[in-house]
Amino acid sequence: MSNLFENYGRWDIEIVSGSGTKVYDAEEKEYLDFTSGIGVCNVGHCNPQVVAAMEAQINKLWHTSNLFIHSLQEEVAGKLVQHSMGSAVFFCNSGAEANEAAIKLARKYTGKSKIITFNQSFHGRTLGTIAATGQDKVKEGFGPLLETFIHLPFNDLAALENELDHETAAVMLEVIQGEGGVNPAEEAFIQGVDKLCKEKDILLIVDEVQTGIGRTGKAFGYQHYHISPDIITSAKGLGNGFPTGAMIGTDKVKTAFNPGSHGSTFGGNPLAMAAANATLDIVMNETFLAEVEEKGYYLSEKLADIFADIPEFMANRHKGLIMGFEFSTEVSTVVSLLRKNGLLVITAGPNVIRLLPPLTVTYEEINEALKIVHHTLLELKQLT
């Protein structure tokens, strides 16, 4: 009998070690991990460069208060600012915390509380971020939530324009709705949102928790759309598995967070910053990011060719190495068989297979995964 709360539907596997794209369970079975811990281990499990940075830091200092100067925080913040539209960074411990900070900053800066988000969005599991999320399943049973979030259809610019008013503090969105089905925003929609926000002096917040840190082949996903948000949030891949999150804002909103207005006991701690610093050194490189885009195209097209033989296959959506394959039926059986055959993937809703391999995945590993998928589909045909 477990002493843990049963709030996770766990697979019957214990992963005990990993290196790069490969992980191993307690029975020493090898798997190709095309989940990356749900888009977290962007530079692979136990990346030597990240491990070395953390080993060096762990013998110096684990924690000190944010009352003190943190030169390593400044170094990581400088890299995030260099590769984004921002000029200031707040460090925390997760994507939900980063989004909470963004919501608070938008409300404090504008003096308004209405924030518009979109159906099928996902912004976290705190009371504030589930209120922001456009999926009822994460809200059930938790009672009254913040009332000033409005949820609109995604990719519907007319609906947004009709809802914007003088009480609107911000529009908050994902450029690709990861948890909502790997739904990419249309370029005209995103550019239209950016234009409307600027015309009406409304803040634009882009949730980059899943799409940031190189996942899409750019430093941040919004950069594919040629826009300039006021606030972006980051987590998941930022620490390559060590818990860390960040909210990045422009110079315009920087002054709204004055001393004492917001904080995090563990946010930006030395171990997290060592992990983030090493991760950013690997990812924020034009050649590396170009390879992510190339590998994404290759994997997506090859998988779409394999899935094309399945009558239920409906759509292939990807940007870099975040991808979703939609079917007209539930995909849990396929995901389970792939796992049995040594390939770890996840879902994005009941009908979408989602792949988030490490950005460091090799073409040899991609081809190995393709063979597993092909074999699994043949096996599934025999079972049915």
Side-chain angles (χ1 to χ4, degrees):
M1 178 176 141
S2 175
N3 294 120
L4 300 171
F5 277 104
E6 296 179 358
N7 54 309
Y8 298 111
R10 298 182 191 271
W11 298 339
D12 190 22
I13 298 173
E14 181 182 6
I15 300 299
V16 297
S17 64
S19 177
T21 309
K22 294 182 177 179
V23 294
Y24 303 85
D25 68 15
E27 279 70 50
E28 300 185 356
K29 180 177 178 178
E30 180 183 279
Y31 301 84
L32 281 171
D33 182 10
F34 274 43
T35 75
S36 304
I38 313 185
V40 169
C41 298
N42 280 11
V43 295
H45 294 277
C46 297
N47 181 282
Q49 195 168 328
V50 179
V51 169
M54 293 197 70
E55 284 179 340
Q57 184 60 50
I58 205 167
N59 290 309
K60 292 181 182 178
L61 186 70
W62 292 20
H63 174 78
T64 186
S65 169
N66 280 306
L67 293 171
F68 296 95
I69 291 170
H70 282 259
S71 59
L72 192 51
Q73 280 189 16
E74 290 286 357
E75 188 173 349
V76 176
K79 291 173 183 177
L80 290 171
V81 164
Q82 178 187 351
H83 294 284
S84 73
M85 80 306 144
S87 66
V89 180
F90 167 78
F91 288 112
C92 50
N93 307 289
S94 69
E97 287 184 32
N99 284 335
E100 283 278 354
I103 291 164
K104 288 180 68 174
L105 180 61
R107 289 168 65 126
K108 193 166 189 294
Y109 173 79
T110 64
K112 303 171 184 179
S113 59
K114 177 179 172 180
I115 296 178
I116 297 172
T117 64
F118 296 91
N119 297 340
Q120 293 304 116
S121 62
F122 182 83
H123 298 294
R125 293 186 181 273
T126 62
L127 282 174
T129 55
I130 64 173
T133 293
Q135 299 186 58
D136 288 339
K137 67 182 181 181
V138 305
K139 307 178 186 186
E140 294 170 358
F142 295 113
L145 303 174
L146 287 177
E147 297 177 351
T148 52
F149 286 97
I150 305 295
H151 306 102
L152 299 177
F154 196 48
N155 283 323
D156 188 337
L157 191 61
L160 175 65
E161 190 166 10
N162 289 335
E163 187 61 47
L164 294 175
D165 57 26
H166 67 281
E167 296 297 326
T168 307
V171 175
M172 184 175 187
L173 55 78
E174 304 153 277
V175 293
I176 301 171
Q177 295 181 325
E179 301 295 327
V182 192
N183 303 316
E186 296 170 1
E187 187 165 357
F189 171 72
I190 290 291
Q191 291 182 350
V193 173
D194 186 54
K195 184 172 182 287
L196 283 171
C197 286
K198 286 179 169 54
E199 287 175 353
K200 298 179 182 293
D201 197 25
I202 292 168
L203 297 180
L204 176 57
I205 304 169
V206 179
D207 178 342
E208 293 273 6
V209 171
Q210 191 161 148
T211 52
I213 317 300
R215 174 56 57 183
T216 67
K218 300 283 188 188
F220 295 97
Y222 80 85
Q223 293 165 341
H224 291 279
Y225 295 88
H226 311 292
I227 62 168
S228 184
D230 300 288
I231 302 168
I232 63 173
T233 56
S234 178
K236 286 191 180 287
L238 179 57
N240 201 53
F242 196 92
T244 186
M247 179 194 66
I248 305 165
T250 59
D251 192 61
K252 178 173 80 171
V253 299
K254 181 177 181 179
T255 56
F257 265 10
N258 55 302
S261 59
H262 191 52
S264 170
T265 296
F266 298 106
N269 73 77
L271 290 177
M273 292 299 93
N277 202 31
T279 300
L280 291 174
D281 281 344
I282 297 168
V283 172
M284 300 306 182
N285 174 288
E286 287 186 12
T287 301
F288 182 91
L289 293 171
E291 288 175 355
V292 171
E293 284 202 90
E294 291 164 7
K295 286 184 281 194
Y297 278 115
Y298 180 81
L299 175 57
S300 178
E301 290 176 3
K302 293 292 186 182
L303 273 176
D305 287 343
I306 294 172
F307 288 137
D309 292 332
I310 301 175
E312 294 82 5
F313 178 55
M314 294 175 62
N316 161 28
R317 299 185 288 269
H318 94 282
K319 185 78 75 175
L321 284 170
I322 175 172
M323 52 192 66
F325 298 87
E326 184 176 1
F327 297 80
S328 61
T329 56
E330 293 193 7
V331 296
S332 56
T333 300
V334 179
V335 170
S336 179
L337 276 174
L338 287 171
R339 185 163 66 245
K340 179 180 77 73
N341 291 333
L343 177 63
L344 303 179
V345 300
I346 52 177
T347 59
N351 296 358
V352 176
I353 296 174
R354 180 171 31 151
L355 279 75
L356 296 159
L359 309 184
T360 51
V361 64
T362 66
Y363 281 100
E364 181 181 3
E365 290 166 336
I366 290 173
N367 289 330
E368 186 179 347
L370 292 169
K371 289 178 183 176
I372 293 173
V373 173
H374 181 70
H375 169 76
T376 299
L377 294 181
L378 291 175
E379 184 180 351
L380 191 61
K381 281 184 180 179
Q382 292 172 354
L383 292 174
T384 56

